[in-house]
C-alpha cells in the first residue's frame, strides 16, 4: 500500500476504473462470483438486444427489480473515499462499469458511466427518453407511440459503448500516472482495456479480494475489499 500511496501523492493524473465489486459492500450482487447475477440468470436473455427483442417484459422486470435494489442501497465507504480522492488530485477521472448510480450519489464529479445507467429509459426507435423513478419502467408503457420500445439506457453485449464516454475514458487512461482498478473481474471489453492497453505511462494498481484476468500484469495488487482499502489509502495520503 505504501508504494501506491507514494505514487498517488506524486500523480498529476489518476484514473479509477470500477466494477460491480465496488458496490458489493452496499449489498448489491456482482455478476460472475458465487451469488452473482449471472448465476441465477442467463446473460443472453437479459443483457442482450436479442433477449430484449424476444421478451421485453422479462428484461424490464429484471431491471426494475435491480433499479429498486439500487435505490435501497447506500454508497459505501469505498464510494466516498473515491469522491474524496477526486478532491485531492487535480486531474481525476472515475470510469465505472456500474449502472447503480452509487458513485454519483457519493459525490463523484468527473464520472464516466461506461455501460450507461438505470436512471433513464430510451426508445429503441426514435431515441425519446423518460426518467425512471423507484418503480422503474411501467410494463404497460414499454411500447412507445412511435412503434419502438422503451429500453433501459444501458450497454448490452454486442453494443458499442457511448462514443463520447469511451473517448473520454481512453484519453484519461492514456494520460494517467496512476490507474486504480477496483472490483472488476476485467473480462468485459472494451472497459477492461483501460487497465491493460492504454497504460503506457501508468502505475496500475488492482484492489480486489480475488485474483482476476489482469492480476498477473499489473504493478501492484492489494487483496482486500473496496470499502476496507480505499478509505485507508485516502487517509494515508499526506
Ligand atoms: C470485490 C468485492 C469488494 C467482490 N471489493 N472487489 C471475446 C473477446 C473479447 C471481447 C469479446 C469477445 N466476445 C465478445 C466480446 C465483446 C464483449 C465482451 O467483452 N465479452 C466478454 C465477456 C468475452 N463486449 C461487448 O459486447 C461490449 N461491446 C462491444 O464490444 O461492442 C463492440 C461494438 C463496437 C461498435 C459497434 C457495435 C459493437 C459491451 C459490453 C457490455 C457489458 N454489459 C454488462 C451488462 C449491462 C449493464 C448491467 O446490466 O448492469 O455490464 S455485462 C456485465 O459485466 C456488466 C458489468 O458492467 C460487466 C463487468 O462485470 P464486473 O463489474 O467486472 O463484474 P464481475 O462479477 O465480473 O466481477 C466482480 C469483481 O468484484 C470480482 O473480481 C470480485 O472478486 C470483485 N469483488 N466483492 C472489491 N467488496
Amino acid at each position: 500500500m505504501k508504494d501506491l500511496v507514494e505514487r498517488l501523492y506524486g500523480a498529476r493524473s489518476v484514473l479509477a476504473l470500477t466494477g460491480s465489486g465496488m458496490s458489493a459492500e452496499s449489498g448489491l450482487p456482482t455478476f460472475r462470483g458465487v451469488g452473482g447475477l449471472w448465476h441465477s440468470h442467463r446473460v443472453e436473455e437479459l443483457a442482450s438486444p436479442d433477449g430484449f427483442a424476444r421478451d421485453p417484459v422479462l428484461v424490464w422486470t429484471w431491471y426494475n427489480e435491480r433499479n429498486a435494489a439500487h435505490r435501497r442501497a447506500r454508497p459505501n465507504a469505498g464510494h466516498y473515499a473515491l469522491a474524496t480522492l477526486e478532491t485531492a488530485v487535480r486531474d481525476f477521472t472515475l470510469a465505472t462499469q456500474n449502472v447503480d448510480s452509487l458513485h454519483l450519489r457519493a459525490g463523484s464529479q468527473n464520472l464516466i458511466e461506461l455501460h450507461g445507467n438505470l436512471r433513464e429509459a430510451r426508445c429503441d426507435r426514435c431515441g425519446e427518453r423518460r426518467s425512471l423513478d423507484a418503480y422503474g419502467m411501467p410494463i404497460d408503457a414499454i411500447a412507445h407511440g412511435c412503434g419502438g420500445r422503451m429500453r433501459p439506457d444501458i450497454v448490452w453485449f454486442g453494443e458499442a459503448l457511448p462514443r463520447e464516454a469511451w473517448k473520454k475514458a481512453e484519453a484519461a487512461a492514456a494520460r494517467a500516472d496512476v490507474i486504480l482498478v477496483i472490483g472488476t473481474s476485467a473480462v468485459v471489453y472494451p472497459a477492461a482495456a483501460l487497465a491493460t492497453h492504454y497504460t503506457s505511462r501508468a502505475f496500475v494498481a488492482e484492489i480486489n479480494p480475488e485474483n482476476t484476468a489482469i492480476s498477473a500484469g499489473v504493478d501492484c495488487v492489494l487483496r482486500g475489499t473496496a470499502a476496507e482499502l480505499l478509505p485507508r489509502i485516502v487517509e494515508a495520503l499526506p
Side-chain angles (χ1 to χ4, degrees):
M1 183 178 301
K2 189 166 168 281
D3 200 11
L4 172 60
V5 169
E6 276 168 15
R7 297 279 182 160
L8 280 171
Y9 184 57
R12 274 171 301 174
S13 180
V14 174
L15 169 69
L17 169 68
T18 64
S20 57
M22 182 78 222
S23 301
E25 288 150 297
S26 295
L28 299 178
T30 61
F31 286 90
R32 294 170 183 81
V34 175
L37 291 165
W38 296 156
H39 273 253
S40 46
H41 300 88
R42 294 188 58 204
V43 183
E44 59 273 27
E45 277 175 9
L46 296 169
S48 79
D50 287 351
F52 184 65
R54 261 195 308 273
D55 196 342
V57 173
L58 174 73
V59 172
W60 265 118
T61 303
W62 187 62
Y63 277 105
N64 282 347
E65 283 167 11
R66 284 182 58 201
N67 174 48
H70 295 169
R71 285 163 187 268
R72 283 193 303 271
R74 297 280 172 268
N76 64 53
H79 293 104
Y80 287 116
L82 286 179
T84 303
L85 183 59
E86 180 168 8
T87 64
V89 178
R90 185 179 300 186
D91 177 18
F92 182 91
T93 305
L94 174 51
T96 187
Q97 298 167 85
N98 300 342
V99 302
D100 57 27
S101 299
L102 290 182
H103 285 303
L104 203 63
R105 285 167 57 195
S108 284
Q109 304 278 321
N110 193 21
L111 174 65
I112 304 172
E113 295 178 310
L114 295 167
H115 293 165
N117 66 74
L118 263 180
R119 298 185 296 277
E120 281 190 327
R122 70 179 151 83
C123 176
D124 63 6
R125 179 175 284 186
C126 71
E128 189 178 298
R129 290 172 174 273
R130 69 177 276 167
S131 2
L132 298 175
D133 61 17
Y135 299 101
M137 186 69 199
I139 296 301
D140 60 5
I142 295 173
H144 190 232
C146 74
R149 281 172 172 156
M150 299 303 289
R151 56 161 286 174
D153 191 21
I154 60 164
V155 182
W156 283 324
F157 281 115
E159 295 185 321
L161 273 56
R163 185 192 296 264
E164 279 311 307
W166 179 246
K167 267 174 59 183
K168 211 176 148 197
E170 264 182 317
R175 68 175 185 271
D177 302 307
V178 176
I179 298 181
L180 301 171
V181 188
I182 307 153
T184 177
S185 58
V187 294
V188 172
Y189 281 80
L194 295 174
T196 55
H197 296 5
Y198 299 93
T199 56
S200 49
R201 51 182 292 153
F203 178 85
V204 182
E206 176 179 69
I207 295 172
N208 196 311
E210 307 284 340
N211 198 46
T212 75
I214 62 160
S215 297
V218 299
D219 299 299
C220 161
V221 174
L222 297 182
R223 286 277 167 257
T225 72
E228 168 201 330
L229 291 178
L230 286 168
R232 283 174 52 198
I233 291 165
V234 171
E235 278 159 25
L237 283 172

